[in-house]
Each structure stands twice: as structure tokens, then as C-alpha cells.
Amino acid sequence: MVRVGDVVNSENISIYRALAGGVTAIQILHGSANPIGGQSALIKLRWGAAPEQMKIDGADGFIKFALGENPKRFSGSARYPDTRMGVEQVFVDAFTSAQDYQAKWNSYNGLSTKAKVGAIAPRRDLAMETMNEILEGKRFISCHSYVQSEINMLMNVADQFNFKVNTFTHILEGYKVADKMKEHGAGASTFSDWWAYKWEVRYAIPYNAAIMHNAGVTTAINLSLIHI
């Protein structure tokens, strides 16, 4: 339900600095503390423009997902999920609930005008509407990821619910599953030389991007982290 587009700060000095470095457009992503994070904002960097003027008209909708240590890092704090298996269950539960939500609306919308008089419409749920946008191909996933087992897991969940993961970001073990990513249709956005900063990136290699590219995966390089 969180929408980054509601909190774009057009006066942040990082916009000016990014423009000075030649960056013209960005996707602002939610953080990675939750398996299902916030809705992204795609903006054109225009110094001096108001927040609404910076948004790219007609841009596709995106949303941040996260795997790995980040969404489970609060282990022992009574925060769910605190295991990698629990992260998978969050996805399955959310998409299953979204399908049930849509089925209720389909049933209600299928009633005749006369029948609707005595019926109660389902309660609107913005989170479920967003999940259904993913299922309908109207919103696309950028997923924080590192470990091959979890990359496989999310692609399997996507196949189960008949949608595609648009982009795996970071994905330092992408070289292990590049063939599966190509088959699924997922892209990659990885680091050129940043790893060994936590346990789950210990198997990163310098050839990760090249291997994914050579396997036919659309691959981009993260040059830096800019906090807007």
C-alpha cells in the first residue's frame, strides 16, 4: 500500500548532483526490509520542478520485492517472517489472497442490477488491488536478491501464479541460474565490483554480469547507490 510517488522530494540536492553526473531519469525504490515493499516511482530529473511534474506520464507501474537476509534480519524479534521459508510463504499468501479478493469482486460485478440492491460489495483493499495488478501484468517487480535458491523460489512462485519477475537487482549469484532466468524472462541489475559485505554475498564473482549477458539475460550494471 506504500507508494513512493506520494513522497517524492523535488528539493533533494541529490537530484541536482545526479543531473550534474548525466543521470536523467530514475526509478525510486522502496527499501528491502519487507518481502513485499512499496510501489516505485519513475521520474524524470527536473531540477526546480514540482514532484508531480517529475513523474513520467504513462510509465509502467513497478513494486519492490525483497529476498534474503534483509526481510528476515529481525530474527528473534517476533517480526514475521524470520526465515527464508517464511518469506516465500508471504508471497504465496499474498497472491492467493489477491486471487480470492478478485473472485469476490468478479462475483459481485456479475450480479444483475436488481440483485446488487440487496448485496454488499466487497470491502476495497488497496494492497490486494496492487497484487492483482502484478497478476494482470499491469505492475512489474524489481526484486532485491542474492542467493540462487531464493531466485529460483520467486521464479517458481511466479510460474505458479502465471506472472513474470521483471528484474532481479543485486543478484550476485545470478551466474548460477542465468539459464533459468533467460527461460523465465527476467532481467538483471547487478554490481560490477561490490561484494563481501555480508554473508549471503560470499559467492559473488567478477564475471557474474558477463555470464548472465552471454546467457541472453538483459543485464544492467549498478554503478552507485543514490539516496533521493
Side-chain angles (χ1 to χ4, degrees), residues 79-102:
R79 179 187 186 273
Y80 180 82
D82 61 2
T83 66
R84 296 178 191 272
M85 295 79 79
V87 170
E88 178 179 6
Q89 196 60 50
V90 167
F91 296 137
V92 173
D93 288 350
F95 285 115
T96 301
S97 296
Q99 289 179 329
D100 291 343
Y101 172 80
Q102 189 60 50

Side-chain angles (χ1 to χ4, degrees), residues 36 41 50 63 73 99 118 126 142 145 157 183 189 193 197 208 210 226:
I36 302 174
I63 188 168
R73 63 187 169 183
Q99 289 179 329
L126 298 181
S142 295
S145 59
V157 170
E183 182 179 356
S189 180
D193 59 0
Y197 50 90
N208 182 45
I226 302 173

Side-chain angles (χ1 to χ4, degrees), residues 9-29:
N9 179 6
S10 60
E11 298 180 9
N12 192 305
I13 191 61
S14 293
I15 296 173
Y16 187 89
R17 292 168 178 164
L19 281 167
V23 179
T24 59
I26 60 174
Q27 178 184 181
I28 309 177
L29 294 165

Side-chain angles (χ1 to χ4, degrees), residues 181-192:
M181 292 173 61
K182 169 62 177 177
E183 182 179 356
H184 179 77
S189 180
T190 190
F191 301 123
S192 59

Side-chain angles (χ1 to χ4, degrees), residues 43-98:
I43 67 171
K44 176 79 172 178
L45 298 182
R46 298 182 174 99
W47 185 247
E52 291 300 317
Q53 294 172 325
M54 298 175 69
K55 295 179 182 178
I56 299 174
D57 292 336
D60 290 329
F62 277 77
I63 188 168
K64 176 73 171 284
F65 276 24
L67 308 173
E69 293 177 9
N70 287 31
K72 75 170 194 68
R73 63 187 169 183
F74 296 99
S75 180
S77 65
R79 179 187 186 273
Y80 180 82
D82 61 2
T83 66
R84 296 178 191 272
M85 295 79 79
V87 170
E88 178 179 6
Q89 196 60 50
V90 167
F91 296 137
V92 173
D93 288 350
F95 285 115
T96 301
S97 296

